[in-house]
Amino acid sequence: MQQIAAADRSRRVSWNTADTRPGEQFAYYREAICQAFMNLTPEPPATPGFIARVETVGLGDGAVNRVNFPEHVVRRSAADIAASSRRCYYLNLKLAGRCRIQQAGREVSLSPGQVGIFDSGRRFALLHDRGPALQVASFWVPAEALDERLPSAPEVAPARVSDDAFVGHLITETAQVLNNSALRATDADNARLFGVLLDLVALSLSRSGRQGVAESAGLADATWLALRRAVDRRLREPGLGVAAIATAIGISERYVHKLFERAGTTFASHVMDRRLDGAARDLRDPAIAARAIGDIAFDWGFSDLSHFTRRFRHRFGCTPRDWRRG
């Protein structure tokens, strides 16, 4: 079965073996992963029945394939490679269980939260174990999209890129955001963030030959992006501080302050502005028009209503009540 055409990847496609009879479930799963990925040869389990779910969502020229399945082995043979019209890389974010990637005489193990890469142009085996319920978010990366970001004549060996001391945490963070928001974000935002992910992976793969590039402006920009996303996810937490955010993305508190200084602001000012913006949106939301202003303020991490009102007036030039009426 041939892979989904690139033109069809802008839409969501899903398969669920629970909708078929037990004796046909594994065959249906095999067809689904060949559609979502490329020609693959999964090995059938010893027992009948195979409950699995496959979903693919477009990310510009690439895609994220989310797969839930029981323990089994997937191989890509020489015949599979010959039958495929394109070459790609698989960038796997492990979500549940464990997977061992075997390719070119190497073995890389992925546990939940780790990200690994391997090449569809060479034979491989994926040993999915430590179940019974396993889950992976596998990013389908057109080979040319990553190759153009790497030195000439790249040869990408299987690697756990999330281990990179400088950008590993950024790769994991970006992959998780893409996986979680792919269906909610616009096509343009998905494509841009997918490009950021590829830039980070390319930086990791080529960094060994370019020591010092971790301090480049490109890395600082990527860290700044991860920093703002981490703040946005925790805006509603009362008492949110620099230490918690620094720990979340794996950088020092001093570097957090330095990045905000470069942006012409401070951590406290950024958090305050983002909270006030969120409260302002909620105050204008007709769906929650009956909610008390104090409740909305508390939802956005404010613990004192009079303090919230003063800051709101300073930012928007009116009280929260007048803003809601407007």
Side-chain angles (χ1 to χ4, degrees):
M1 177 175 289
Q2 293 299 311
Q3 178 196 16
I4 297 173
D8 294 333
R9 286 190 174 275
S10 61
R11 60 189 179 92
R12 173 188 178 187
V13 184
S14 62
W15 303 262
N16 192 335
T17 67
D19 299 329
T20 64
R21 290 179 293 186
E24 300 172 351
Q25 287 174 347
F26 187 78
Y28 185 59
Y29 167 75
R30 181 175 57 243
E31 293 180 1
I33 62 170
C34 288
Q35 284 263 6
F37 292 86
M38 280 184 169
N39 295 68
L40 296 170
T41 305
E43 295 181 355
T47 57
F50 195 87
I51 300 299
R53 187 171 67 253
V54 182
E55 177 185 59
T56 183
V57 182
L59 302 172
D61 292 333
V64 57
N65 297 316
R66 295 191 280 241
V67 192
N68 296 264
F69 44 78
E71 293 183 357
H72 70 300
V73 175
V74 177
R75 301 187 187 278
R76 182 154 164 87
S77 66
D80 291 329
I81 296 170
S84 299
S85 59
R86 295 186 68 184
R87 176 172 153 262
C88 73
Y89 297 106
Y90 298 122
L91 188 66
N92 281 14
L93 167 63
K94 194 63 178 171
L95 300 175
R98 186 186 71 170
C99 176
R100 287 178 288 147
I101 305 166
Q102 297 177 343
Q103 185 176 60
R106 298 185 60 182
E107 180 173 300
V108 175
S109 177
L110 295 183
S111 297
Q114 296 179 325
V115 180
I117 190 169
F118 50 108
D119 189 348
S120 78
R122 291 183 288 175
R123 291 179 296 173
F124 62 72
L126 305 180
L127 286 69
H128 297 291
D129 55 18
R130 300 284 176 89
L134 295 97
Q135 186 177 11
V136 64
S138 180
F139 294 90
W140 188 91
V141 181
E144 61 273 17
L146 184 60
D147 288 351
E148 67 185 8
R149 290 169 161 86
L150 294 169
S152 58
E155 182 174 317
V156 177
R160 194 165 54 229
V161 290
S162 55
D163 284 358
D164 188 288
F166 291 102
V167 297
H169 65 286
L170 297 175
I171 291 171
T172 301
E173 172 82 9
T174 307
Q176 289 172 339
V177 170
L178 263 175
N179 178 52
N180 293 334
S181 64
L183 287 174
R184 300 192 306 271
T186 66
D187 290 346
D189 285 344
N190 277 336
R192 281 194 291 269
L193 193 54
F194 186 59
V196 171
L197 177 61
L198 298 191
D199 287 340
L200 292 169
V201 171
L203 180 59
S204 175
L205 294 175
S206 60
R207 195 174 62 81
S208 59
R210 296 186 292 117
Q211 295 300 320
V213 75
E215 283 73 34
S216 69
L219 178 58
D221 289 343
T223 306
W224 173 238
L225 176 65
L227 176 58
R228 285 179 292 158
R229 288 200 305 264
V231 170
D232 284 347
R233 283 200 309 273
R234 304 179 68 166
L235 272 176
R236 297 175 184 266
E237 296 180 13
L240 178 63
V242 172
I245 295 300
T247 300
I249 64 173
I251 61 177
S252 69
E253 295 180 42
R254 182 180 177 183
Y255 194 39
V256 171
H257 288 300
K258 184 176 182 179
L259 289 174
F260 277 106
E261 181 181 349
R262 286 180 182 176
T265 186
T266 65
F267 174 82
S269 295
H270 178 81
V271 170
M272 178 61 66
D273 288 345
R274 295 292 291 154
R275 284 175 169 171
L276 289 170
D277 289 343
R281 287 194 302 271
D282 283 356
L283 287 168
R284 287 279 177 86
D285 186 350
I288 54 174
R291 289 207 71 193
I293 291 175
D295 289 344
I296 291 175
F298 297 146
D299 280 350
W300 283 99
F302 293 93
S303 57
D304 184 274
L305 183 56
S306 61
H307 174 66
F308 166 71
T309 301
R310 287 196 304 271
R311 297 306 299 255
F312 194 96
R313 185 197 292 271
H314 182 265
R315 179 165 174 77
F316 297 105
C318 64
T319 66
R321 189 177 303 278
D322 291 339
W323 175 269
R324 171 175 267 181
R325 288 171 180 167

